[in-house]
Amino acid sequence: MSEKIKTVRGFRDLIGEEARKYRFVVEKIRNILEKNNFEEIILPTVEYTKLFTRSIGDATDIVEKEMFTFQDKGGRDIALRPEGTAGVVRAYIENKLYADGTYKKLYYEGSMFRHERPQKGRYREFHQVGAEVLGTINPLADAEIIKIADDILKTLQIEATIEINSLGCKKCRPKYREALINYLRQHREELCEDCQRRLEKNPLRILDCKVETCKVIAQKAPKITDYLCDECKTHYRQVKEYLKALNVEFVENPYLVRGLDYYSKTVFECVSKELGKTVIAGGRYDYLVEELGGPPTPALGFAAGVERLMLLVKELPPKKPLVFIIPFGGEKEKIEALKIAEKLRQEGIRTELSYREGKLKKQFEYAAKIGADFAVVVGENELQSGKFPLKNLHTREQKILTLEEIIQTLKNLS
Ligand code: ATP
Ligand code: MG
C-alpha cells in the first residue's frame, strides 16, 4: 500500500455531524444578521501581507508569529487572511462604498488562518462570521452590535459573559499609555520576555498576555476608564445605557484590550462559561479606514468564532425523515423506482434510491444502517396495483398506500 497522506497540522476535516453543526451555527448567525439588514460581502482568502501588518499592528501576536505568508510566483508578499475586518475595510475603500454617503452594514463568513499551537478550540484554519458597520460614530450602533452578539449566544443557547470596555481615542489614549508604561516599568523584571519587548512598543498588549505572572501585574495596572476624555466617556456611558434598555447583560472589564491594534472606544468579548474562552469579540475601529488610505470613517464590528461556538452547541435539530426506495425485480422496476424517488424529492421528501442488488432482507438492513426512517418496495405487483408498502423502520409497521398517500404521509412528518 502507498503512504497515506494526512491533513496538515492544525487543519481538519468536518465530517457528518461536525459539518452539520458548522452549517447550523453559520446559518443561525446569518439569519440574525440578515434580520438586522446586514448585507453579505464575499472576500478573497488572500491579501497583500501589508494590509494586515498595517491594520492589525506589527507588535501583535497575529502579525509577529501567526500569519501564513508566502511569495506568489510574481514575488509578491501575500498572506492567508488571519481575520476579516482588514479585508472588509480594503474592499470598502477600493470599491468606494463610502461614495453615496450612507453607512454600510456588511457581513462575511469564511476561513481564517493563524499559525498557532493547535489545541481544543484553536486551529490553524478556523472560521468566522463577522459583521462590520462602516460610516457611523453613533453609540446606537455599538449597542446594536453587542445586542447581535447577545442574540447569537441566546439563539445557540450558549452561556457567556459579555465583557465591555472603552479604549479611548487619539486624544485620551496617549495619556493612559504613558501611565501604563510608568506602572509597568516598575515591574519590568517580573514580566515575560514578550511583554518586556512590548513594554515600549505596545504596552496595552501586556494587559492581554496569557502568562500568569503578567496577568497578576496587569490586575493592578491603571485603568483606561479613568483616563477617558469627555467625548469617549459620554460615548461609553451611552453604549451602556442602550444595552440596559435592550436588557443585554454585561460586565465592565477595564483591562479588556483585544488582540488587534486597530480598536478605539468600545471593545467587547463574549467569554463562554463552559470553555473559559472568547467565542465572539469585537469593537470600534474609528481610524482604520483612514489608516488604510480611505476617507476618515468611524466603524465597528465583531467576529464570531464558529469552531468555538460549535463546541458549545449540544443538540442539532433533527434531520427530515429519510425514505429508502428499493427496486425489486428487473430493469422495469428499477426505472419506475428511479422515477418515484425523483417524484418524492420534488415534493421535498428526503429520499435515497437503493443502488444495492439482492434480497429484500439485506435491503432493509442496509436502509437501517444508513439511518432511513421508512422504506418503500417497488416491485412488479406494486406497480400493477398502484399500491406500495410503506414500512416504518423504527416500529416495523407497514401500510399499503398509493404513491399520493405515501407523499402525504411523509410530507406531514417533515
Ligand atoms: P484568543 O485570545 O482566544 O486567541 P483572539 O483575540 O486572537 O482570540 P479574535 O482575533 O478576536 O481572537 O477572533 C475572534 C474569534 O475567533 C475568537 O474569539 C475565537 O472565537 C475565534 N478564534 C480566534 N483564533 C482562533 C483559532 N486559532 N481557532 C479557532 N478559533 C479562533
Ligand atoms: Mg489569538
Side-chain angles (χ1 to χ4, degrees):
M1 274 226 281
S2 302
E3 179 209 355
K4 288 196 186 96
I5 298 168
K6 295 192 173 143
T7 50
V8 175
R9 181 169 152 81
F11 291 68
R12 51 189 206 135
D13 306 307
L14 297 180
I15 298 172
E17 173 123 341
E18 283 288 286
R20 285 205 288 134
K21 219 171 231 185
Y22 174 84
R23 283 287 159 228
F24 175 76
V25 169
V26 171
E27 278 313 305
K28 289 281 179 204
I29 303 175
R30 284 174 70 121
N31 286 343
I32 293 169
L33 290 168
E34 298 264 347
K35 228 169 35 181
N36 281 272
N37 199 32
F38 280 76
E39 194 160 357
E40 182 164 19
I41 179 166
I42 300 175
L43 295 164
T45 313
V46 296
E47 300 275 1
Y48 289 118
T49 306
K50 62 174 180 268
L51 174 68
F52 302 115
T53 48
R54 269 172 61 190
S55 59
I56 298 167
D58 45 17
T60 58
D61 282 354
I62 297 180
V63 168
E64 277 186 337
K65 31 188 190 199
E66 298 174 358
M67 266 213 286
F68 279 89
T69 53
F70 59 100
Q71 287 201 330
D72 72 0
K73 291 201 166 66
R76 290 171 278 258
D77 286 315
I78 278 180
L80 297 181
R81 59 181 180 195
E83 57 104 49
T85 302
V88 172
V89 172
R90 197 254 323 123
Y92 178 80
I93 298 167
E94 193 172 345
N95 298 286
K96 299 195 175 57
L97 299 184
Y98 49 80
D100 68 2
T102 66
Y103 47 82
K104 291 288 175 293
K105 293 165 71 174
L106 304 170
Y107 80 89
Y108 59 85
E109 173 220 330
S111 293
M112 305 296 157
F113 303 85
R114 295 184 195 175
H115 204 280
E116 303 195 69
R117 199 170 62 79
Q119 51 186 286
K120 188 178 172 192
R122 203 178 283 288
Y123 314 99
R124 291 185 175 172
E125 179 181 19
F126 61 99
H127 298 80
Q128 290 183 337
V129 186
E132 316 287 352
V133 184
L134 299 119
T136 180
I137 186 72
N138 198 326
L140 285 172
D142 306 50
E144 287 210 314
I145 275 286
I146 297 171
K147 167 67 180 157
I148 290 171
D150 187 53
D151 255 359
I152 293 170
L153 296 166
K154 297 240 159 73
T155 305
L156 296 173
Q157 297 183 307
I158 289 171
E159 275 193 70
T161 307
I162 301 180
E163 298 185 5
I164 68 167
N165 192 22
S166 174
L167 293 183
C169 65
K170 276 189 176 154
K171 267 187 289 174
C172 51
R173 201 181 325 173
K175 284 196 204 94
Y176 173 67
R177 193 173 182 273
E178 215 174 291
L180 184 63
I181 293 180
N182 280 340
Y183 165 80
L184 290 170
R185 273 203 193 116
Q186 300 163 27
H187 300 276
R188 175 186 276 276
E189 303 309 314
E190 302 148 67
L191 294 170
C192 75
E193 239 175 75
D194 277 345
C195 284
Q196 293 199 6
R197 215 166 18 82
R198 287 171 184 143
L199 189 52
E200 311 295 332
K201 229 172 140 189
N202 198 347
L204 264 74
R205 293 255 50 75
I206 297 174
L207 301 179
D208 197 37
C209 184
K210 277 139 191 144
V211 174
E212 207 45 52
T213 45
C214 298
K215 278 192 188 168
V216 173
I217 295 165
Q219 272 164 18
K220 295 208 180 86
K223 298 183 171 88
I224 184 140
T225 35
D226 294 332
Y227 290 79
L228 296 178
C229 64
D230 286 344
E231 185 200 315
C232 286
K233 248 188 228 159
T234 306
H235 187 98
Y236 191 36
R237 181 175 47 74
Q238 286 172 315
V239 174
K240 288 185 280 184
E241 276 168 16
Y242 301 155
L243 287 174
K244 281 180 193 149
L246 289 166
N247 291 321
V248 174
E249 271 180 58
F250 61 87
V251 297
E252 290 182 66
N253 174 359
Y255 297 119
L256 181 66
V257 290
R258 309 284 304 106
L260 309 91
D261 278 354
Y262 50 61
Y263 287 107
S264 54
K265 288 198 171 68
T266 318
V267 288
F268 74 97
E269 285 195 7
C270 308
V271 186
S272 150
K273 293 186 182 156
E274 187 186 319
L275 273 184
K277 284 199 175 87
T278 302
V279 290
I280 306 176
R284 255 190 188 280
Y285 47 91
D286 289 339
Y287 308 114
L288 185 57
V289 179
E290 195 176 1
E291 274 163 22
L292 290 176
T297 309
L300 69 159
F302 71 75
V306 178
E307 280 76 2
R308 291 203 192 157
L309 295 170
M310 282 167 64
L311 285 171
L312 297 164
V313 169
K314 302 289 176 242
E315 244 181 287
L316 285 174
K319 285 200 205 174
K320 283 184 170 185
L322 173 65
V323 55
F324 191 64
I325 307 292
I326 306 168
F328 187 68
E331 272 310 292
K332 184 165 163 264
E333 288 73 23
K334 276 186 200 157
I335 289 169
E336 289 308 315
L338 187 67
K339 294 202 287 197
I340 288 172
E342 203 39 43
K343 177 140 174 64
L344 295 182
R345 289 176 192 133
Q346 272 170 14
E347 297 287 342
I349 296 160
R350 189 160 65 102
T351 308
E352 180 150 338
L353 175 64
S354 177
Y355 300 152
R356 290 183 65 102
E357 304 279 347
K359 294 202 177 82
L360 274 181
K361 185 165 174 276
K362 291 273 177 213
Q363 295 271 18
F364 283 120
E365 278 169 18
Y366 186 79
K369 203 166 170 181
I370 64 163
D373 302 286
F374 296 92
V376 175
V377 176
V378 180
E380 200 187 345
N381 294 342
E382 286 81 6
L383 287 169
Q384 242 159 35
S385 66
K387 291 203 165 183
F388 304 83
L390 175 70
K391 183 165 182 151
N392 182 321
L393 295 169
H394 304 291
T395 63
R396 312 250 127 217
E397 222 184 314
Q398 186 166 289
K399 282 186 192 152
I400 310 292
L401 302 170
T402 66
L403 195 52
E404 279 315 311
E405 288 166 338
I406 288 178
I407 288 170
Q408 279 323 312
T409 311
L410 295 175
K411 266 178 129 177
N412 287 342
L413 290 174
S414 43

